[in-house]
Amino acid sequence: SQKIEQNSEALNIQEGKTATLTCNYTNYSPAYLQWYRQDPGRGPVFLLLIRENEKEKRKERLKVTFDTTLKQSLFHITASQPADSATYLCAPRGAGNMLTFGGGTRLMVKP
Amino acid sequence: NAGVMQNPRHLVRRRGQEARLRCSPMKGHSHVYWYRQLPEEGLKFMVYLQKENIIDESGMPKERFSAEFPKEGPSILRIQQVVRGDSAAYFCASSPGSKNTEAFFGQGTRLTVV
């Protein structure tokens, strides 16, 4: 069955450092993959989309990579700030067109 | 352009009652997705609808749960004879198309069954 795995343990880093979050998937051949941010008590907010023919995508301090051989996406936040503290969700888009999410990784950036 | 609107934000129901959750997608969006989220857990896909059609309901329990997205009006997620285990946050998302498009989420409805 299809699985999306994100590190369920919280990631704690110091302000100014780069945060790297991992998303692994199995039994998927996604045409593209999306990353979302979710704050407590709120709905997810779209951040980035990367297509299968793109190796890397950047948006301001965010960078996403997509390795279809490893079946993995990495999400980087450079020069992290306490305001970046949230849960980050990955969503590979597979067959059926439904949007399915990983369990998310909570990021805590300490000042 | 208003975002995805969900109401009510909070809903309390006694066991055995019905819960109706409403979702108005963004203007111009014809695709709607419903998700359930338990505390400290991820988003679980329930159902995907396109105007008047259910495209995928593989994540929705077979009994007591139903969803619709009529030609006019909001999408409705209906839970009949609620039980305590139905207590969760229910999120709705909409998108203009089904491929290569981001989904816009509402703020969710928090259902509490007492």
Side-chain angles (χ1 to χ4, degrees):
Chain A
S1 62
Q2 295 175 330
K3 282 180 69 175
I4 307 166
E5 293 181 346
Q6 294 185 257
N7 194 341
S8 58
E9 290 184 16
L11 178 63
N12 294 292
I13 64 167
Q14 206 66 36
E15 182 176 8
K17 300 291 186 186
T18 296
T20 299
L21 287 69
T22 305
C23 174
N24 294 296
Y25 57 90
T26 53
N27 297 323
Y28 263 101
S29 294
Y32 57 98
L33 187 146
Q34 300 180 350
W35 283 88
Y36 288 75
R37 167 183 174 144
Q38 186 176 25
D39 291 282
R42 304 184 73 85
V45 174
F46 171 80
L47 295 175
L48 277 169
L49 178 153
I50 185 166
R51 294 181 173 78
E52 60 180 340
N53 60 350
E54 296 175 316
K55 290 275 190 262
E56 181 180 296
K57 199 86 169 272
R58 290 175 186 262
K59 180 182 175 183
E60 298 172 354
R61 294 185 296 112
L62 308 181
K63 184 179 87 171
V64 171
T65 63
F66 191 12
D67 189 326
T68 54
T69 302
L70 288 178
K71 294 187 181 297
Q72 181 182 79
S73 176
L74 299 178
F75 178 81
H76 307 271
I77 306 175
T78 58
S80 60
Q81 304 166 1
D84 295 327
S85 299
T87 297
Y88 291 86
L89 308 166
C90 84
R93 196 71 174 255
N97 296 321
M98 62 189 187
L99 191 59
T100 311
F101 290 86
T105 298
R106 190 187 308 176
L107 173 66
M108 299 287 291
V109 181
K110 297 180 181 177
Chain B
N1 189 2
V4 176
M5 304 299 291
Q6 288 189 250
N7 65 81
R9 289 293 308 275
H10 301 274
L11 182 62
V12 179
R13 284 287 177 266
R14 296 186 184 279
R15 279 178 296 171
Q17 290 185 318
E18 178 179 286
R20 276 183 177 242
L21 287 62
R22 292 175 186 77
C23 169
S24 295
M26 286 183 70
K27 188 176 180 182
H29 287 194
S30 59
H31 298 251
V32 165
Y33 308 81
W34 284 94
Y35 295 85
R36 179 161 72 176
Q37 188 172 40
L38 294 169
E40 305 300 320
E41 292 192 12
L43 287 162
K44 299 297 183 191
F45 168 79
M46 297 182 74
V47 62
Y48 163 36
L49 309 105
Q50 193 180 353
K51 276 291 184 184
E52 299 185 271
N53 294 307
I54 295 175
I55 306 301
D56 188 324
E57 56 181 349
S58 58
M60 200 153 69
K62 295 284 186 285
E63 297 178 356
R64 302 189 298 109
F65 286 72
S66 63
E68 62 176 16
F69 188 16
K71 189 176 179 181
E72 301 291 337
S75 175
I76 306 285
L77 179 67
R78 184 178 171 209
I79 311 173
Q80 295 177 293
Q81 299 173 335
V82 295
V83 300
R84 288 230 170 97
D86 296 332
S87 295
Y90 291 84
F91 289 97
C92 162
S94 74
S95 68
S98 60
K99 298 182 189 297
N100 282 356
T101 53
E102 65 183 274
F104 294 82
F105 281 81
Q107 293 305 315
T109 293
R110 275 136 194 93
L111 172 66
T112 303
V113 180
V114 297

